Amino acid sequence: MSSVKDVAHGSRRNAYTALILSTLAMIVCFMSWSNFAPLASQIAEMFNLDVSQRTLLLATPVLLGSIMRIPVRILSDRYGGKKVYLILMAFILIPLIMIPHVHSFGMLLFAALLVGMSGTSFAVGVSYASVWFPPEQQGLALGIVSMGNMGNAVAAMTLPYISKAAGFDSVYYFLIILTVIFGVLFAVFCKEMPVDKSKTIKGALSVAADSGTWYLSLFYFLTFGLFVAFTNLTPTFLTGMFHYTPVTAGLYSALFAFVCTLVRPFGGYLADRKRPMALLQWVFVAIVIFAIWIMLSFHNQFMFIAGIVLVGLSAGIGNGVVFKMVPYVSQGNTGAVTGFVGAVGGLGGFFPPLIIGYIYQWTGSYELGIALLALTGVICWFALWKHYIHGDVHIVK
């Protein structure tokens, strides 16, 4: 069995095929991961859901998709990303087949939990696509494959149209067909990657002993969590407060997801040229300001949508900057730290919908939930300033 060190970087065809199909497969998987958000108002009517149940449904897929990223990444490294990707896409078919046939909220939640595995496609895609490229090209490869996050935006743009034109069940038949097509393409055209049998769960979790890993996780909890949470919540906000149709609300949700995804490489580019710690403090300041903006604009749709777009820009840039901080914080464990931060930070998309939904249920208002988001931004700014700006002794030179 070949090892990572033995990979033949000269095979451009294998490398570019792996990169293109990994990215496209991730887009398809992320469409499944975020399928409930653009259909939330329709599902709420079908199952007679209140706001807290609706936000719980939106949050549930994020949970499994986040906590399973580390073990799935290890499996990919040890046994091959192609095998793991194919198994993952086959597994996703189970909840996609279930959803049109469930008749209770409990079973819908169970299907949502299972469909959450599609979120681990990020870990598989990064592992599989990057290994085909030499170190000096891996940054670009990672940036391209990370664009698979756009599956959230594609889902927001397409699924409401499909549901309106052909019915709710057709959405899932469409996702099933799409998943099967890309599974077949992946099986036929992609080669298996070299594997590294030395990778273990214990090794991946060993970085948890370093406080720097937790600080980066906190920062990514905010920035990536904003991307996931607001992509899911924007249709709920717009249909509930401003009475947008699900199709129109989905378009604005797609705009938010596109903005977050497209500016992420720009954040990395800026962090290559400026000290990432200094950049990130301004990202947190912007997030706090725009969160307050959103909190004060729930009765003005233009100001509200502008606030959503601006906080998306801030979060997207922050996503790129956080990962550029990894070499500053931990040298020699970059891969393990990145995996841990991605998994823990992904949970940032799980808690905000739950908290905002329950607060709305108690108070009839979203403002307090957004105020907690602003408070989280302040906490992140203070932690960054104290440990990486004011206290430079914590930075690896």
Side-chain angles (χ1 to χ4, degrees):
M1 183 72 65
S2 60
S3 67
V4 174
K5 293 180 180 179
D6 299 325
V7 65
H9 295 303
S11 179
R12 289 179 175 269
R13 180 178 178 180
N14 288 343
Y16 291 124
T17 300
L19 181 62
I20 293 169
L21 285 180
S22 290
T23 305
L24 293 175
M26 192 189 302
I27 289 174
V28 172
C29 289
F30 266 61
M31 289 177 68
S32 293
W33 197 35
S34 59
N35 77 88
F36 292 115
L39 305 173
S41 59
Q42 183 177 358
I43 293 173
E45 291 180 9
M46 291 170 59
F47 290 88
N48 193 27
L49 306 183
D50 58 33
V51 172
S52 62
Q53 289 174 318
R54 184 169 167 173
T55 51
L56 174 61
L57 177 66
L58 297 179
T60 298
V62 180
L63 179 63
L64 198 63
S66 298
I67 63 177
M68 288 300 292
R69 281 188 177 186
I70 291 178
V72 167
R73 172 68 182 264
I74 298 300
L75 290 172
S76 182
D77 288 338
R78 283 178 62 87
Y79 300 106
K82 178 179 178 178
K83 296 184 187 71
V84 175
Y85 229 147
L86 291 175
I87 293 170
L88 175 62
M89 285 188 273
F91 179 87
I92 294 169
L93 295 175
I94 298 172
L96 292 179
I97 293 170
M98 285 178 58
I99 292 170
H101 300 97
V102 300
H103 300 290
S104 69
F105 180 57
M107 286 302 297
L108 186 63
L109 275 182
F110 179 66
L113 182 67
L114 295 182
V115 86
M117 280 298 293
S118 54
T120 66
S121 59
F122 184 88
V124 189
V126 165
S127 173
Y128 180 73
S130 62
V131 76
W132 297 99
F133 293 87
E136 64 270 17
Q137 295 180 1
Q138 285 186 356
L140 177 61
L142 290 173
I144 293 172
V145 77
S146 296
M147 301 291 279
N149 288 345
M150 280 193 177
N152 293 49
V154 177
M157 285 192 299
T158 59
L159 301 190
Y161 280 105
I162 295 171
S163 181
K164 182 178 180 181
F168 178 78
D169 291 357
S170 298
V171 170
Y172 297 93
Y173 301 144
F174 169 72
L175 291 173
I176 289 167
I177 292 169
L178 211 55
T179 304
V180 170
I181 289 173
F182 278 92
V184 171
L185 290 174
F186 212 84
V188 172
F189 292 105
C190 288
K191 303 294 184 183
E192 185 55 278
M193 62 182 270
V195 297
D196 185 354
K197 292 291 187 179
S198 66
K199 297 294 183 70
T200 64
I201 294 289
K202 182 179 179 180
L205 295 179
S206 64
V207 296
D210 183 359
S211 63
T213 303
W214 289 101
Y215 282 111
L216 291 181
S217 297
L218 172 65
F219 303 153
Y220 201 57
F221 183 94
L222 176 62
T223 59
F224 185 71
L226 268 177
F227 165 70
V228 176
F230 270 70
T231 300
N232 287 338
L233 286 172
T234 295
T236 296
F237 288 150
L238 294 180
T239 56
M241 295 183 304
F242 301 117
H243 308 294
Y244 281 39
T245 66
V247 171
T248 304
L251 290 176
Y252 280 107
S253 178
L255 173 63
F256 176 84
F258 270 124
V259 164
C260 274
T261 303
L262 289 176
V263 300
R264 180 171 180 155
F266 181 65
Y269 172 83
L270 290 176
D272 279 338
R273 285 150 181 77
K274 302 290 184 180
R275 197 161 175 266
M277 294 77 174
L279 285 172
L280 195 59
Q281 69 172 336
W282 291 109
V283 168
F284 291 151
V285 169
I287 287 174
V288 171
I289 290 172
F290 296 134
I292 294 171
W293 177 323
I294 292 170
M295 185 176 65
L296 299 176
S297 62
F298 273 98
H299 301 291
N300 184 316
Q301 59 181 318
F302 175 79
M303 295 294 289
F304 179 81
I305 292 170
I308 289 287
V309 172
L310 290 170
V311 85
L313 280 168
S314 305
I317 291 172
N319 287 335
V321 175
V322 168
F323 278 108
K324 285 293 182 178
M325 283 182 63
V326 173
Y328 286 82
V329 175
S330 178
Q331 290 181 345
N333 292 310
T334 301
V337 173
T338 300
F340 189 92
V341 169
V344 177
L347 292 174
F350 173 71
F351 291 104
L354 286 180
I355 294 170
I356 289 173
Y358 283 119
I359 288 176
Y360 182 87
Q361 202 68 27
W362 294 333
T363 67
S365 171
Y366 290 114
E367 281 85 345
L368 180 57
I370 303 299
L372 291 177
L373 167 62
L375 177 61
T376 304
V378 172
I379 292 170
C380 288
W381 177 89
F382 179 76
L384 176 71
W385 177 83
K386 182 174 177 59
H387 293 276
Y388 295 115
I389 297 175
H390 178 70
D392 276 358
V393 293
H394 295 271
I395 298 173
V396 176
K397 298 295 185 182

